[in-house]
Amino acid sequence: WHDGRLVFADMGSKQVLTVDLTGEVEQVCVVEGRPSGIGWLPDGRMLVVSMNDRRVVRLEPDGMLVEHADLSRLASAPCNDMVVDGRGNAYVGNPGYDMRNPPSPLPAAELVLVRPDGSAAVVDRSVRFPNGPAVTPDGRTLIVAETVGERLSAFDIGDDATLSKRRTYADLPGRAPDGIALDADGAVWVADASGNACVRVREGGEVTDVVDTGRG
């Protein structure tokens, strides 16, 4: 949600789109590498994950898309979701394996930090399919959905944007947490990729609401 509109990635059509409360849809840009996670730098420029080529691209004021960071040597699979904090640091995940030919057992994957200047480094290698990330309003905690780990994990964010003190935020047995978002009360809404539902969970694992979406 940005400037009064919902901004979303339409992976199939390779577009980033917006829709407002009247239902009007507008195209923001086309990302040929398939768009995924979206965020904004403090100066208002938009960042978008380009999945297939494992990059983060940046939308300039003139409408041009330019490379912000090349993650091809850091991410072991096509990149997916991303969150950008208030300082302009982006955290990007990936499945960790080829989803068309999954290995057994499934490996952990990398969380990659992309700094505002585009420099990038792996900051964690222990999460299992890091997906939807969120940053708490104080900017001190990163919450990550582990899709095949069936849990949300939390990290402390350091002054240098690196991560430490990994811990379980909420176990979600039988669910596949994908996209997430914090609500005004600090609970997390989770899209369950395998359960036809969105669930609201508090730290510790209490599920307070389940909304049936009718589809996977």
Side-chain angles (χ1 to χ4, degrees):
W1 189 258
H2 189 74
D3 288 342
R5 296 183 296 176
L6 180 67
V7 186
F8 63 97
D10 184 342
M11 297 177 186
S13 70
K14 302 180 180 180
Q15 298 178 90
V16 176
L17 302 170
T18 66
V19 60
D20 64 19
L21 291 176
T22 70
E24 182 176 355
V25 177
E26 293 184 6
Q27 182 192 88
V28 178
C29 61
V30 174
V31 179
E32 290 296 338
R34 294 181 69 217
S36 185
I38 298 169
W40 286 267
L41 294 170
D43 64 10
R45 289 178 295 172
M46 186 175 70
L47 301 180
V48 185
V49 170
S50 180
M51 298 178 68
N52 293 349
D53 50 9
R54 306 182 198 188
R55 296 191 302 154
V56 176
V57 295
R58 186 178 68 243
L59 184 64
E60 295 291 276
D62 63 2
M64 293 293 294
L65 275 179
V66 300
E67 181 176 283
H68 185 68
D70 181 354
L71 310 186
S72 59
R73 296 184 179 182
L74 301 175
S76 56
C79 298
N80 57 337
D81 216 342
M82 172 181 69
V83 67
V84 184
D85 72 9
R87 298 180 293 174
N89 295 303
Y91 298 89
V92 185
N94 75 88
Y97 59 91
D98 184 350
M99 296 179 66
R100 298 166 299 180
N101 186 27
S104 181
L106 297 176
E110 306 85 4
L111 262 178
V112 178
L113 162 66
V114 180
R115 299 184 186 278
D117 65 0
S119 60
V122 174
V123 286
D124 186 80
R125 299 180 184 273
S126 64
V127 282
R128 299 183 63 207
F129 200 148
N131 222 319
V135 174
T136 53
D138 62 5
R140 307 303 298 178
T141 303
L142 176 73
I143 303 170
V144 179
E146 293 190 61
T147 302
V148 301
E150 298 184 348
R151 62 177 171 249
L152 306 181
S153 290
F155 298 84
D156 287 355
I157 300 174
D159 292 337
D160 61 355
T162 59
L163 304 179
S164 63
K165 298 181 180 178
R166 179 191 169 186
R167 56 203 178 270
T168 298
Y169 181 93
D171 282 315
L172 292 168
R175 299 192 184 275
D178 196 324
I180 69 172
L182 282 160
D183 71 12
D185 296 322
V188 180
W189 279 101
V190 182
D192 180 2
S194 63
N196 296 358
C198 290
V199 301
R200 182 179 184 267
V201 60
R202 295 188 183 276
E203 185 171 7
E206 178 194 3
V207 174
T208 66
D209 295 272
V210 178
V211 178
D212 183 1
T213 61
R215 60 181 299 173

